[in-house]
Amino acid sequence: MLTAFAILTDGLVYAAYLFLVAVGLSLIFGVMKILNVTHGSFYAFGAYGSAVAVGIYFERGLPAAGGFLLMILVAMAIGLILGLVLERGLLRLVYGKDEIVVVLVTYAAFLILEDVIRLIWGAGSYALYQPLGAAGTIDVGALVLSGYDIGLVALAGLIALGASFAIKHTRWGRLLTVVIFDREVAAAFGINVSAVYTFTFIVGAMLGALGGAVMAPKIAVTLGIGVEVIVLAFAVVAIGGMGSVGGALIGALLVGECRAAAVHLMPQVELFVIYAVMALVLAFRPQGLFTHAQPRKI
Amino acid sequence: MTTMLRPLVIGTLAFLLVAGLAPAFPVWIVSLATLAFANALVVLGLIILWRAGLVPFGQALFYAIGAYAVALITRYTGVRDVFVLIAAGAVLSCLAAFLAGLLLARYREIFFSMLSLAMSMILYGVLVKTETLGSTDGFGVEPPTYFGYAPQGAMQLLVLFWLVLAFGAAAALLVFLYFRSVAGSLAVPVRDSEIRLEFLGVSVNRLIHLNLMIAGILAGIGGALAALSIEHVDPNMAYWTTSGGFVFVTILAGAGSVAAAFVGSFLFELLKSIAYDILPGAWQFFLGAVLLITILFLPEGIGSVFARLRRQKPQSTGATP
Amino acid sequence: MRQRAYPPTFVLAAGLSLGLSLLAAGGARAQEPAAAIKIGFVTFLSGPAAAPFGIPDHNAAEMLVEKLNAGQVPAPYNTVGLGGTRIEGKFVDEAGSVADVVTQFRNLVERDHVDVVVGYVSSGNCLAITPVAEELKQLTVLDICGTTRIFEEKPRHYVFRVNAHATMDNVSAAKYALSKFKDISIYSGINQNYAWGQDSWRDFRLAMKNLDAKATIDKELFPKLFAGEYGAEISTLLTSNAQFIHSSFYDGDLEAFIYQSAARGLPQRIPLVLTTGESSLWRLGAKLPDGAIIGARGPHTFFAHDSELNTWFHKSYVDRFKEQPIYPAYDLAQSLFGLKTAWEKAQAKKGGARPTTEEVIAAFEGISFPTPSTMVQMALGNGHQGLSDTAVGTYKFDKAEGKPEIVDIVRYPAQCVNPPADVDSVPWLEGGMKGAKCD
């Protein structure tokens, strides 16, 4: 019984992690059709920035609540700067080229940023452990849940709700939907697609950095953390469908619960789970779970 | 016919020249080139698929199958003949490509890429879990014999290099001819508009399946040759970063030219070596910067240099807007 | 209109000239003062393995090369460089695929013409370059990688390893755990899902079976290497009834696991046995609860025997790098001092002339020499594999001083936790560890 509950909660926590990491990528891909490999760099920069800035904050003994707020602010600042620099400085130059060329540009940027991280923060690892302790624990029988994990799930839920609301009920959201559906028609209607692109990329960057910032207290922030995250994010986005926040959420939940079940019940297959889920979903719904059916263009 | 003859003659001369000069080059360049040309075969396969608008992120699947086929045979049997080994790698990867293609051929764009990636990662997981095969440490590959001849010392490397060159030349020739065949030329219309092609009576899925099998065989042979060159196999050969490396070189090379696969692959290995040598802690930066510069100034890859100098209309190069 | 077609030839020529110019550059570099002894040091300078292994290893190499060249190392290593000849170090990053690593090794040998190659953290890389070293007849001293397969698969001539392999880490950890925790009937393990983790668990499990037949395994968890997020695993362990948990986690994974599990009370409830935990102690500090059992893959740092050499090494490292050396630094020191001993022995035999590779090899086999941690003897693998004692202890964070400490240290002599010279590790473990000599 406790195991079932543990699987449920563990799945939710892992899903929250996946969702936070993947939602930014999904947005960018949905709108700009770019498979943004630099997403891993946003995550890493967010983590490093958070570890350093929030670490200093907690060293000064300031109240914990402010620390959590600082984490979010740092992530947004990093996302803004990086997103702006990349989009305006680099992606501008390759819009309109073959999609795979754009992917390669983001891959090149990723390689460069990996070593920029090394340049700025060195090869050592950073630890930001204070938020974990500050968040406390909840006991459920023999199982101890970390308050921080619960907070992560709440944050993921908030972002999912916020993003869905924004997309359905704000002007930017509606512009986004139109551009996702058909870029050319949107431009024909006078929508400034270029501005939408920039805005979306920055939002995506902020979300990616946020993912890294909130994960920083749980992991050791060191070189290479961006690499693993890329494939995970891609897989979740492929499962859920491009550009769909709901899709990213469902995809994350699916993978999260399957993986939690695997760890508890059949640890041998844990390595395959995410790829097996992806293969299965794609086998039955080749466009991912939530992509709108695209009319075939002749 | 004369349009075909000139590149063929030049290509043959180039291969012969490289083969002849090999003993004069420093050893480290020859071993670099051996690996580079083995990888170039995988890149050839990717060029074939890219012309059809598909970029698989899981070619490492067939690469690893080819490599492990060779390694397993040398480990568990006494067979050492290089042609048997490579044939085994080719046959197994062909089979795998056929099976994978049954599912994969129905997908396009990003889903094709991701499904292909998923397949190679599943193989990776299986290999990592197999402790008898050394898990992530992998295991060694014994040196091969060539129709009974077992080269010693410096000849070991040279003979392997000539073998790789021979396979490279054969593959280059076959792919060159394929591009000029009906099936090969149909790749571009597939990318541009499948529906029109279907209306013309061509089964696009079958065409893609065929292309997948060709690319799969090429990747398998490339993997087999790579295994002989490095003398070691490990599950990382099936990992997505390995596939990513091949895609990297493919874009660098451009989709227009067979020769570019070889030149591009060699330059990539050379660049990596230089990066490791002069910037030991910052080689990623170097590679990223070079890639960026290449993309910005040569957006259609190195192959476009060939095409541009040829001063003909670039035939179906990759990035037609 | 037919265009004259020299283009592909033109590009070919361009390529050739590029290649040739590189040749020239490479050649020029190889003509450095032929007098210096060139050593190629290969270790992780980037990626997640840099912080725990690569950087300490690299730092130790840099420092020792400098000190040796200045003749500032205490006896018996007080001659300049190796036997009076200066050392020239070349540092190469071990990061990349196995193909990259093998290529870089070949470059070191064939392009840079190094005299010795020292390094390799990853067991996979060690296994890949060993046959290449043998083929190229390159003297190589492996450093840090722990796989037993190097000398057990085949005898080697050109490859040496001074650091002990990983079997003794887990055998000694098992002995210590059993002596510290009474009446063990259930234990669990969490190890990374790759060769190192799988091999460590296998060795530990077999050792436990030999030492305590009634102990059973509850959970064997194998999260992905560098997974970073262990929520589900921690839940599983919390709801299990293990009496202790074995782990060969290191660095980022270990730290992440400790932060996450300590926040949920796991190590406070179930003690951890961390066979390579020493490498993270300085970063974990007070976050690791007292009572964890710690190994250092040999008697390094906290476990080092007192000696002038150790005091000097430790102080020089801290002075230079402003941080504590961890076991990879000690591993490098062992490798370099072993090489130096062999080189100088060969040179003495030759009346002071510079020895050839074959002569160094002959001198290296079977020798004993002091290192900052302990005495090492090249006793396994036909004289190519080093053997030393080891030690395990319990973690305690000294709150007053604000630094980590190891207490209740137990030393295990080499013959107690290693297979005899003619027996392979896994058969030895499966066969009941016969021939082990413990006092």
Side-chain angles (χ1 to χ4, degrees):
Chain A
M1 191 57 233
L2 196 60
T3 315
F5 181 72
I7 293 178
L8 184 68
T9 46
D10 290 335
L12 277 175
V13 174
Y14 197 71
Y17 161 57
L18 287 176
F19 176 74
L20 286 168
V21 157
V23 67
L25 186 71
S26 183
L27 225 54
I28 291 178
F29 190 86
V31 173
M32 303 162 79
K33 305 283 182 283
I34 293 176
L35 206 59
N36 180 29
V37 182
T38 354
H39 198 72
S41 303
F42 297 149
Y43 178 86
F45 267 89
Y48 270 94
S50 166
V52 170
V54 181
I56 296 177
Y57 178 92
F58 274 101
E59 300 276 316
R60 305 258 168 93
L62 296 164
F68 295 111
L69 187 62
L70 185 62
M71 230 187 266
I72 297 179
L73 289 173
V74 166
M76 290 180 64
I78 287 179
L80 179 66
I81 298 173
L82 267 184
L84 209 57
V85 166
L86 273 168
E87 205 271 338
R88 291 268 129 186
L90 200 57
L91 290 179
R92 273 297 108 156
L93 301 171
V94 290
Y95 281 149
K97 299 231 185 353
D98 198 347
E99 269 157 30
I100 194 70
V101 173
V102 182
V103 174
L104 217 65
V105 166
T106 61
Y107 180 60
F110 171 72
L111 286 177
I112 293 176
L113 287 172
E114 278 290 288
D115 275 344
V116 167
I117 288 179
R118 191 174 187 273
L119 212 72
I120 301 177
W121 287 296
S125 71
Y126 289 82
L128 178 68
Y129 49 84
Q130 295 94 331
L132 270 188
T137 60
I138 298 179
D139 282 4
V140 180
L143 189 63
V144 178
L145 298 174
S146 159
Y148 195 80
D149 285 340
I150 297 177
L152 276 183
V153 176
L155 182 66
L158 263 171
I159 291 184
L161 280 171
S164 308
F165 180 84
I167 286 181
K168 287 204 184 64
H169 300 284
T170 64
R171 187 163 171 277
W172 170 70
R174 281 193 285 251
L175 287 179
L176 207 72
T177 315
V178 176
V179 174
I180 291 178
F181 199 73
D182 194 318
R183 178 188 333 178
E184 284 173 15
V185 169
F189 270 89
I191 294 176
N192 186 350
V193 174
S194 167
V196 172
Y197 273 21
T198 309
F199 192 62
T200 311
F201 196 79
I202 291 178
V203 171
M206 283 196 215
L207 286 169
L210 185 65
V214 298
M215 282 304 286
K218 293 182 59 162
I219 60 175
V221 179
T222 181
L223 295 175
I225 55 176
V227 180
E228 284 308 307
V229 151
I230 294 174
V231 167
L232 283 179
F234 281 8
V236 169
V237 169
I239 292 172
M242 311 298 171
S244 163
V245 171
L249 191 63
I250 302 289
L253 278 168
L254 201 58
V255 175
E257 288 298 336
C258 288
R259 188 186 167 273
V263 171
H264 280 264
L265 306 171
M266 235 195 327
Q268 306 88 314
V269 302
E270 183 267 333
L271 208 60
F272 305 97
V273 161
I274 187 169
Y275 301 106
V277 170
M278 178 161 73
L280 269 170
V281 168
L282 288 180
F284 292 105
R285 269 196 72 95
Q287 303 281 65
L289 291 171
F290 281 82
T291 313
H292 313 285
Q294 298 283 354
R296 286 226 288 197
K297 297 199 188 129
I298 310 213
Chain B
M1 200 54 200
T2 12
T3 36
M4 268 177 50
L5 198 57
R6 198 170 347 137
L8 274 179
V9 166
I10 292 176
T12 319
L13 281 177
F15 274 108
L16 285 174
L17 190 69
V18 174
L21 284 179
F25 273 88
V27 186
W28 66 276
I29 290 207
V30 177
S31 43
L32 202 75
T34 311
L35 184 63
F37 291 161
N39 289 345
L41 290 177
V42 189
V43 173
L44 271 179
L46 274 167
I47 291 180
I48 292 177
L49 285 168
W50 188 22
R51 278 161 54 99
L54 297 166
V55 184
F57 271 91
Q59 283 302 87
L61 172 67
F62 310 110
Y63 185 74
I65 288 177
Y68 268 82
V70 168
L72 286 169
I73 293 180
T74 62
R75 182 178 185 168
Y76 290 111
T77 72
V79 176
R80 291 282 177 278
D81 186 71
V82 78
F83 296 101
V84 172
L85 294 173
I86 305 218
V91 165
L92 280 172
S93 51
C94 178
L95 190 63
F98 175 74
L99 291 170
L102 291 173
L103 185 63
L104 218 42
R106 299 188 342 227
Y107 295 78
R108 302 289 180 269
E109 294 189 355
I110 185 66
F111 303 99
F112 175 85
S113 308
M114 295 307 290
L115 193 55
S116 147
L117 183 150
M119 288 183 184
S120 83
M121 288 305 288
I122 290 178
L123 177 66
Y124 173 76
V126 171
L127 289 173
V128 168
K129 294 247 53 139
T130 315
E131 290 189 44
T132 42
L133 293 182
S135 171
T136 47
D137 283 347
F139 59 97
V141 178
E142 301 290 325
T145 60
Y146 305 78
F147 288 136
Y149 163 55
Q152 298 300 324
M155 285 308 286
Q156 256 184 321
L157 181 61
L158 267 177
V159 176
L160 184 64
F161 177 68
W162 283 326
L163 180 78
V164 172
L165 211 55
F167 271 100
L173 177 67
L174 289 170
V175 172
F176 178 83
L177 292 173
Y178 178 72
F179 280 166
R180 282 158 179 72
S181 73
V182 173
S185 322
L186 283 176
V188 179
V190 167
R191 194 189 66 216
D192 289 340
S193 173
E194 280 186 40
I195 299 185
R196 281 188 224 163
L197 215 51
E198 293 269 349
F199 274 104
L200 287 173
V202 175
S203 163
V204 175
N205 280 3
R206 292 227 339 237
L207 193 61
I208 291 183
H209 198 176
L210 174 70
N211 281 347
L212 271 167
M213 283 177 62
I214 297 178
I217 297 176
L218 282 170
I221 298 178
L225 289 170
L228 292 170
S229 166
I230 310 170
E231 296 172 59
H232 193 87
V233 291
D234 72 321
N236 191 258
M237 288 173 124
Y239 204 63
W240 67 271
T241 47
T242 307
S243 298
F246 295 135
V247 175
F248 190 115
V249 178
T250 308
I251 314 298
L252 222 48
S257 157
V258 165
F262 292 90
V263 175
S265 192
F266 179 71
L267 275 176
F268 179 61
E269 289 294 325
L270 201 61
L271 272 170
K272 261 199 291 188
S273 275
I274 296 175
Y276 273 102
D277 191 30
I278 60 180
L279 289 169
W283 55 273
Q284 283 178 301
F285 187 100
F286 183 80
L287 275 181
V290 170
L291 181 64
L292 213 51
I293 293 173
T294 312
I295 294 176
L296 293 175
F297 292 103
L298 274 181
E300 289 159 29
I302 297 174
S304 66
V305 174
F306 288 97
R308 219 180 288 157
L309 288 171
R310 222 181 282 146
R311 262 180 254 151
Q312 291 163 1
K313 249 182 139 187
Q315 291 184 15
S316 50
T317 42
T320 330
Chain C
M1 185 164 123
R2 242 349 95 221
Q3 302 291 349
R4 277 219 303 232
Y6 28 67
T9 342
F10 164 83
V11 181
L12 199 63
L16 265 176
S17 36
L18 171 71
L20 285 167
S21 43
L22 282 163
L23 283 174
R29 239 197 317 253
Q31 271 147 40
E32 295 283 330
I37 298 172
K38 267 184 111 164
I39 303 185
F41 291 99
V42 187
T43 186
F44 284 104
L45 300 175
S46 62
F53 299 118
I55 301 299
D57 185 282
H58 171 86
N59 286 349
E62 215 181 80
M63 180 188 92
L64 282 178
V65 166
E66 219 180 78
K67 296 283 188 198
L68 280 170
N69 283 343
Q72 285 171 355
V73 183
Y77 301 117
N78 46 353
T79 49
V80 163
L82 299 183
T85 317
R86 289 175 49 86
I87 301 172
E88 190 191 304
K90 185 180 164 96
F91 298 92
V92 177
D93 193 347
E94 193 183 334
S97 67
V98 170
D100 293 333
V101 170
V102 170
T103 306
Q104 293 314 311
F105 182 81
R106 282 186 181 269
N107 285 351
L108 272 177
V109 178
E110 298 166 339
R111 182 191 61 195
D112 303 329
H113 306 292
V114 295
D115 296 292
V116 191
V117 177
V118 175
Y120 299 102
V121 172
S122 157
S123 290
N125 291 337
C126 284
L127 284 165
I129 59 127
T130 296
V132 182
E134 296 287 322
E135 179 196 315
L136 297 177
K137 302 198 185 347
Q138 173 62 49
L139 176 60
T140 305
V141 183
L142 300 175
D143 179 45
I144 302 184
C145 65
T147 175
T148 54
R149 289 167 57 189
I150 306 280
F151 301 104
E152 291 182 2
E153 281 184 351
K154 249 190 207 177
R156 309 286 179 193
H157 186 70
Y158 292 92
V159 176
F160 288 83
R161 181 169 55 189
V162 172
N163 310 126
H165 56 54
T167 302
M168 72 177 194
D169 304 340
N170 291 291
V171 174
S172 56
K175 281 180 174 285
Y176 190 94
L178 285 169
S179 68
K180 192 162 179 94
F181 310 126
K182 309 297 171 206
D183 285 326
I184 295 293
S185 52
I186 309 181
Y187 65 100
S188 293
I190 176 168
N191 291 282
Q192 292 145 325
N193 196 357
Y194 81 121
W196 165 258
Q198 293 160 355
D199 289 349
S200 297
W201 177 246
R202 177 201 64 209
D203 290 350
F204 188 78
R205 186 168 47 86
L206 288 171
M208 284 294 289
K209 199 155 71 107
N210 289 323
L211 297 168
D212 181 4
K214 67 175 180 357
T216 56
I217 300 171
D218 183 22
K219 298 263 185 242
E220 311 175 274
L221 299 171
F222 284 102
K224 198 160 68 108
L225 178 63
F226 304 140
E229 213 282 329
Y230 302 105
E233 285 82 359
I234 295 171
S235 300
T236 313
L237 289 168
L238 278 170
T239 55
S240 84
N241 41 11
Q243 288 162 289
F244 70 79
I245 300 171
H246 165 272
S247 181
S248 59
F249 271 18
Y250 54 85
D251 153 55
D253 289 1
L254 177 60
E255 289 160 42
F257 180 70
I258 298 294
Y259 298 144
Q260 293 167 28
S261 61
R264 296 169 66 183
L266 178 67
Q268 294 87 335
R269 191 191 297 182
I270 309 177
L272 301 173
V273 175
L274 305 172
T275 54
T276 153
E278 180 269 353
S279 57
S280 296
L281 293 181
W282 293 96
R283 266 190 305 278
L284 285 170
K287 293 313 293 176
L288 178 63
D290 291 351
I293 295 182
I294 304 287
R297 297 221 45 222
H300 304 304
T301 62
F302 298 98
F303 303 103
H305 297 268
D306 280 325
S307 69
E308 189 201 338
L309 191 57
N310 181 32
T311 315
W312 170 86
F313 180 72
H314 189 264
K315 180 168 187 306
S316 306
Y317 192 97
V318 174
D319 284 346
R320 171 91 183 255
F321 300 108
K322 309 283 180 282
E323 60 180 32
Q324 301 287 332
I326 53 180
Y327 78 76
Y330 280 78
D331 280 347
L332 189 292
Q334 279 191 327
S335 304
L336 211 45
F337 287 142
L339 175 66
K340 184 172 162 73
T341 310
W343 188 284
E344 291 173 356
K345 181 171 168 205
Q347 187 166 298
K349 200 159 172 208
K350 220 172 155 178
R354 182 166 168 147
T356 64
T357 297
E358 291 297 330
E359 288 161 349
V360 176
I361 289 175
F364 214 151
E365 290 172 347
I367 51 172
S368 308
F369 48 91
T371 69
S373 334
T374 180
M375 282 293 288
V376 174
Q377 194 195 6
M378 306 299 287
L380 299 179
N382 288 321
H384 284 243
Q385 164 70 53
L387 187 71
S388 78
D389 62 335
T390 186
V392 183
T394 305
Y395 185 70
K396 185 157 150 23
F397 186 72
D398 187 340
K399 291 193 185 38
E401 299 267 313
K403 56 190 189 110
E405 244 181 41
I406 305 273
V407 299
D408 298 339
I409 295 180
V410 176
R411 295 194 183 280
Y412 298 95
Q415 289 77 6
C416 179
V417 290
N418 279 293
D422 50 350
V423 181
D424 286 351
S425 310
V426 178
W428 178 67
L429 284 167
E430 288 173 340
M433 291 160 50
K434 293 197 187 48
K437 282 197 280 279
C438 306
D439 303 318

